[in-house]
Amino acid sequence: MKTKNIIFSFVVTLALSLAACNDFLDIKPNNLITGSSLTADNLPSLTAPLYNRVWFDFNDKFYFGLGDGMSYNLYAPYSDYVYPFADLSVTGLTGPLVSAWASLYVVIQQSNKVIKSINESSASQEVKNQYIAEARFMRGTAYWYLASLWGNVIITEDPSPLTTNPIVNSNTQKDAFEFAIRDMEFAAKYLPETVGQAGRVNRYSAFGMLSRFYLAYSGFVASNYGENPNVGTRDENYLNLAKQAAKKVIEESSFALMDNYPDLFKIEYNNNSESMFAFQWVPGLNSSTGYGVINTHQAYFAYSSEITGDDAAWGDWTRCPYDMIKEYEKNDTIRRKATWMGYGDHYPEINKANGGITYNRNVSGNSSTTLNVKKGVTGSSKDNPAIGRMNSALNNYMLRLAEVYLNYAEAILGNATSTSDDTALKYFNDVRKRAGLPAKTSITWEDIRHERRVEFCMEGRYWYDLLSRAYYQQQEVINYIKNQNRGTITPYLFSAPNNLSIDPETDPGNRAVGEVTPAIFLLPYPESELIQNPKLADPPVPYTFTEDRITDLFD
């Protein structure tokens, strides 16, 4: 493992990160305080950097390139941070993949160092547990991504051994998933119910994550940990755990759905009532003053400097494929407009000085032949001083309450073909009603899949939903991906609010895409990591757990 990428200097990272974190987490840097001098008052400064800098290389391009590109929610034929994923041609040299692997291990090793420092502090054990839980929340999330995407990965709880000897065997995907679950269960037990600093996670954030973890793991367990990926059903025990975790959030927490879907993606609503875990990027900085603690997505999404004010805008060819736009129901205009710009859409919050901006790109008659990204696009510094060069100033959602609602509905559905359960319908329909859509009286897994894709489009989530299904219905997911016809560029015409048709004047285009086989469900290791650590290519070894599983979360 390339230690220069993975093991950052703790003091350096802390010093750089804390300077940027003060504005939004209301803490003071204490990067030089260690050991017994580290008291309860200092502990927030240790965990603050875990909300931004360590995740930067994961978030920068991989977040959407993998999550939305691999699932074909978007395509960008000239952007090498999207098309390898959308075209299923990822290799160990794909840039965002290499960066994401390193970033996830930075999260893990920094979390390990934080945990070690907290254990050496003079704080009470109760206080120690709270901040250890915060670090384990982050570590567990990182391991969940590693296990989901790469399968067999290296598990470490100690920051030192990999520094001195990076040539080690990987551990099994089963153990990596369980390690992530154990971390998140510890977080659910020891994080406080409420926190005094906006943006920090609480115990219900952990229960929300557990509802995701348990739900996905239920299929993996039922498949005998990947041995029979077409088993067709999920493990009832983990389905029940997913239901209980979601129920805890819904019935006990103060989280609530936002009333207006587009508000979720406006700067002034960062850390809103629906946000359960989000990366905390620093407003007012730019690529020169804050690279590493800013949200760069707008630079890759905005179709023109008309939006960003002569700032970076490389998103003209980052577009919505036909397979995605046809997923929207005719009346699903609220979510579509908040996610994709179509001909005739007006956005008053962008280019305010000129009365807003109206999308009229690539016009054909009374329609456009493309849709460009809106979600994550906020405007220029003239629209909002929080915006800077390559900094949208938006927090990225890693978990919001709408997902927990759908997790609850899916856990209740379980292995049934459909359900009319009142509780499942209530929370499923709450998500739909906010979008202005009629309630359903019965739902299937396909209904939930559809809602997930549309609700979270361009939030880096959909590929993981397909992975979750592929653990126990792999051939179905393979067939679904084949039916997306990624090798065909379907020409279409679109106008607001949701008028879609095939363009009769333009012939379909073609592009080469990878073969759809079971191999697509695991990413290749970065080639540089295989060179540094040849044992990654060897069979994995079991991990020896050093603590018992927490079993009283739902007593």
Side-chain angles (χ1 to χ4, degrees), residues 401-444:
L401 186 62
E403 181 189 339
V404 178
Y405 278 17
L406 296 181
N407 291 348
Y408 198 17
E410 186 173 342
I412 292 172
L413 171 68
N415 289 315
T417 303
S418 64
T419 184
S420 299
D421 179 271
D422 288 344
T423 303
L425 289 174
K426 170 178 168 45
Y427 293 107
F428 176 87
N429 285 325
D430 279 353
V431 175
R432 285 181 59 81
K433 288 176 183 177
R434 178 174 62 181
L437 299 174
K440 290 182 177 288
T441 57
S442 177
I443 55 173
T444 64

Side-chain angles (χ1 to χ4, degrees), residues 104-152:
L104 291 169
Y105 272 103
V106 169
V107 175
I108 289 162
Q109 289 293 63
Q110 291 292 68
S111 298
N112 287 339
K113 290 185 177 185
V114 165
I115 292 167
K116 183 177 180 180
S117 295
I118 291 171
N119 276 324
E120 294 172 354
S121 77
S122 62
S124 69
Q125 191 59 50
E126 181 180 2
V127 173
K128 286 181 181 180
N129 283 343
Q130 174 183 335
Y131 291 99
I132 289 172
E134 196 172 14
R136 290 187 68 169
F137 180 102
M138 300 298 178
R139 188 177 69 182
T141 301
Y143 267 119
W144 184 260
Y145 281 108
L146 284 166
S148 298
L149 296 172
W150 281 278
N152 305 323

Side-chain angles (χ1 to χ4, degrees), residues 40 58 63 76 120 150 224 248 285 289 349 487 501 519 542:
F58 173 89
Y63 172 95
E120 294 172 354
W150 281 278
N224 192 25
K248 290 280 284 188
L285 301 182
T289 61
E349 71 271 23
S501 62

Side-chain angles (χ1 to χ4, degrees), residues 259 348 360 412 526 530 534:
D259 292 332
N360 58 1
I412 292 172
L530 285 169

